Structure formats: C-alpha cells, structure tokens
Amino acid sequence: MTADTAPRSRTPLLLIMFAALMAGAGNGISLVAFPWLVLQRSGSALDASVVAMAGTLPLLAATLIAGAAVDFLGRRRVSMISDALSALSVAAVPVLALTFGAQVVNVAVLAGLAALGAFFDPAGMTARETMLPEAAKKADWTLDHANSVYEAVFNLAYIVGPGIGGLLIATLGGIDTMWVTAAAFGLSVAAISALRLEGTGKPDPGAMSDGVWAGIVEGLRFVWNSKVLRTLAFVDLAATGLYMPMESVLFPKYFTDRNEPAQLGWVLVALSVGGLIGALGYAVLSRYMKRRTVMLIAVLTLGVAMTVIAFLPPLPLILVLCAVVGFVYGPIAPIYNYVMQTRAPQHLRGRVVGVMGSLAYAAGPLGLIVAGPLADSAGLHTTFLALSLPMLALGVAAVFLPALRELDAEPRGT
C-alpha cells in the first residue's frame, strides 16, 4: 500500500499535538518558577536575568545541534530523549532540596539547571515540528491547517503552564512546583513513544555521510542562500531579543516587587490566550490576508503595545494589551513553519528548522544582559521603553524589506 492510498488517521497528529502541549506546559511552568525562585531569594533583577540568560544562552548551540540530530538519529527518538532529559533537569530542583536542604538551591544551581534544561528542549521542539508534514498528510489536513492548530496548542501550553505555575507557586512553593514540570515532560515522552508514522524513524545514514558538523554547515548554507528564510531569521532574531526580557525578567520583577505571583501567571495567560486565538484563527485569516501583511501588523502592534505597557498601567489594561499582542503575533509561528517546511527538502528539514531557531535565540541573551542591569538602575519604565521603541522601528523597517514579499509566493520545488 503506497502513502497516497494508505488509510487516513488523525492519531499521529493528535499524539504530536498532545506531546507539544505537555512539553510546552512544562516549559511554561519553568518560565514562572525559575525567575520566582531567584527573585524570592535575592530580589535582584540582575540575578533573574542571569538565570533567564542561562535558560536561553544554550539554545543557540543546542538548536543547531538539535536540527542535525533530528536528521541523523530520527525525529521520534530525538523527541523522546530530549523530553526525558528535560524532565530530569527540572526534577533535580526538588531532589536537591530534599537531599541537601532548600538553601542549596541558590542562584548558581538554578542557573545551571535552567541551562541544562534549555540545552535539551530545542531537540524535542525541532523533532515535533519536522514530523508535522507527514502527520498532516496522514490526517488529510492542509499544512497551513496543521501548523495553525499546532501553534494554537503550543500557546495553550503556555496558558496551562504559567497559569498553573503561578497558582502552584502561591500554594505549594516554587521548589515543589518543579515536580509538575517533570511530570508534564514525562507525558510528552509517553505520547511520542506511541507514535507510528512514516519518516519519523532513523533516516538513511547516507543523508549525513560527512558527519554532524558538515550537516549543520549544509543547513546554514541552505538558509543563507534562501532570501526569504535569511530575512525571516534576522527579523525573528531582533524581535526575540527585544521581546524576551519583557516576559522573562520585567514582568517577573514587577510582580515580585508587589508580591503577586498569581497576577504574573494571569499576565502570561493573557499573552497565551491571545496567541491561542490568533494561531487558531490563522487558518481562516489566511484566506483573506497575505502572509506578509499579517506579519507586518504583528510586529508594529507589538511595538505599540509594549510602549503602552512601559507606563505600567493598571493590571486590567496590561492584560488587554498582552492579549492583543498574543492575538496579532499568534499567526506568525504558523507562517514561519510553513515557509521552512515548504522551502527545505525533506532530508534537510531538521537542520533548517534548527538553524532558524538558533538564529532567533541568538539575540535573547543580549536582550537579557541589557534588561536586568537597566531595570535595577533605571527602573522598569525606562527599560520597557528601551525595548519597545526599537520594536516599533523594526516594524517600520520590515515594511521596506523586499524579501518578505516572497512569503506569499508559491514555493518552488525542493
């Protein structure tokens, strides 16, 4: 029976979606728990930046390696190994506290465990994204539809994760909250272990006969030679560097100073609810708007909303602005996924996704290095403005980037 005549089934797609939900929820809890544990001990935004940076700095190298690992070892295997190791890295927080006492879980230990978890995460994310085209075909879904729902599930994970994380911290404490994180990663492993899908096993060894490093270079070369992929990578790099400190340091600092962990969870929930609606709506939105138009609106709106947030208005207005940011930015990841999946040949798909992800992560540590000390010395208002005004400039500049017009062009054969 050929792939074209094989019976249709949504089971593989649903398993991938569930795994993404659980792994994303685990990361979402960590997004709240790690900064909270640090700020609870020292109250320093600089220390929170160090731990947040430790959770992002390994992503640059890890995502490059992850893409090659996915193409070399197989998507299903890499996804399971990655999530299992991520579970162990977060479970180490309560294990150390139980064994040696809570005092041993200091800033250095938290930074090390955050870095360890961050090193494993990209492989799982890359593996799941690269399995989507085959799963979508098996389910008889369009790729736009599959990417839209996948990103909606990812945003749902960040509703479940930070929202529950904030509430768990308020009831159980930051250390015990990490048990929930580990359990979420474990459920992701279980889902992928049940997955049976063509193209997810160990690939042809000849696809990377020159080794992992040569494979990484091949992926870099492919992205660089594609004008639209190269431009998207740098736009995402800039946007990530400007946006990440707001979510990872500035909001945690603001609500920690006010001793309001649950409110921090609600802010992150508002971002994710907006993203969930935006990502789900993309399948419909794409019928009426061009991909380039959607992306330009997203970046410009993000800059405007961040600028208003810089004045630290009342919580209800912050929640509305965060929901708007999530809504307009929700369709961007499906667009990125579609471009990567349709421009890259099958044997290069993991490396292309890895390269694009690593370039986006490259600016994150730089933004965190600036945001932490600036928040301690100049205050949150000034730091928000220092990030939001360049975001506005990025949105204006994107209007004049000719390569983005290729977002609406039909992909040429790969």
Side-chain angles (χ1 to χ4, degrees), residues 31 34 48-63 110-119 121-122 240-241 244-245 247-249 357-369:
L31 186 66
F34 273 111
S49 291
V50 169
V51 173
M53 186 170 60
T56 58
L57 191 59
L59 296 175
L60 173 58
T63 311
L110 290 170
L113 292 175
L116 194 62
F119 189 81
D121 287 340
T240 300
M244 184 181 293
E247 189 171 317
S248 299
V249 174
S358 65
L359 291 176
Y361 290 132
L366 294 177
L368 292 167
I369 287 172

Side-chain angles (χ1 to χ4, degrees), residues 261-283:
Q263 282 80 349
L264 172 60
W266 286 119
V267 165
L268 298 178
V269 165
L271 286 166
S272 296
V273 167
L276 171 64
I277 297 171
L280 276 176
Y282 173 65

Side-chain angles (χ1 to χ4, degrees), residues 174-360:
I175 290 178
D176 285 339
T177 295
M178 290 300 190
W179 288 119
V180 181
T181 313
F185 283 119
L187 289 172
S188 178
V189 174
I192 297 300
S193 69
L195 177 67
R196 299 294 181 269
L197 183 67
E198 181 182 359
T200 61
K202 189 172 182 179
D204 180 4
M208 291 186 64
S209 57
D210 294 330
V212 172
W213 175 246
I216 293 173
V217 172
E218 188 178 5
L220 285 165
R221 186 182 299 116
F222 184 88
V223 169
W224 182 258
N225 290 334
S226 169
K227 188 182 297 184
V228 64
L229 287 175
R230 184 174 69 237
T231 302
L232 283 177
F234 284 111
V235 169
D236 200 25
L237 183 149
T240 300
L242 295 170
Y243 174 77
M244 184 181 293
M246 182 181 78
E247 189 171 317
S248 299
V249 174
L250 301 188
F251 277 140
K253 171 65 175 172
Y254 178 63
F255 289 106
T256 301
D257 288 346
R258 298 163 63 95
N259 193 29
E260 296 176 341
Q263 282 80 349
L264 172 60
W266 286 119
V267 165
L268 298 178
V269 165
L271 286 166
S272 296
V273 167
L276 171 64
I277 297 171
L280 276 176
Y282 173 65
V284 176
L285 193 65
S286 62
R287 302 175 189 172
Y288 306 100
M289 296 180 67
K290 294 182 177 180
R291 295 186 183 96
R292 175 176 175 270
T293 302
V294 172
M295 195 178 81
L296 294 178
I297 291 174
V299 180
L300 285 166
T301 303
L302 184 57
V304 172
M306 286 175 61
T307 303
V308 178
I309 291 172
F311 293 93
L312 300 175
L315 180 62
L317 182 54
I318 291 178
L319 293 176
V320 170
L321 291 169
C322 288
V324 169
V325 166
F327 177 76
V328 298
Y329 218 67
I332 297 307
I335 292 173
Y336 271 58
N337 289 348
Y338 176 85
V339 174
M340 290 186 290
Q341 292 159 355
T342 57
R343 262 63 176 186
Q346 200 269 355
H347 73 282
L348 272 176
R349 196 184 299 157
R351 279 163 281 175
V352 169
V353 172
V355 167
M356 293 289 285
S358 65
L359 291 176

Side-chain angles (χ1 to χ4, degrees), residues 49-101:
S49 291
V50 169
V51 173
M53 186 170 60
T56 58
L57 191 59
L59 296 175
L60 173 58
T63 311
L64 279 173
I65 297 171
V70 167
D71 286 340
F72 186 66
L73 297 176
R75 298 161 188 170
R76 180 172 171 270
R77 180 184 301 175
V78 168
S79 178
M80 294 170 62
I81 292 173
S82 168
D83 287 337
L85 293 174
S86 292
L88 292 175
S89 70
V90 293
V93 174
V95 168
L96 286 172
L98 286 172
T99 305
F100 301 104

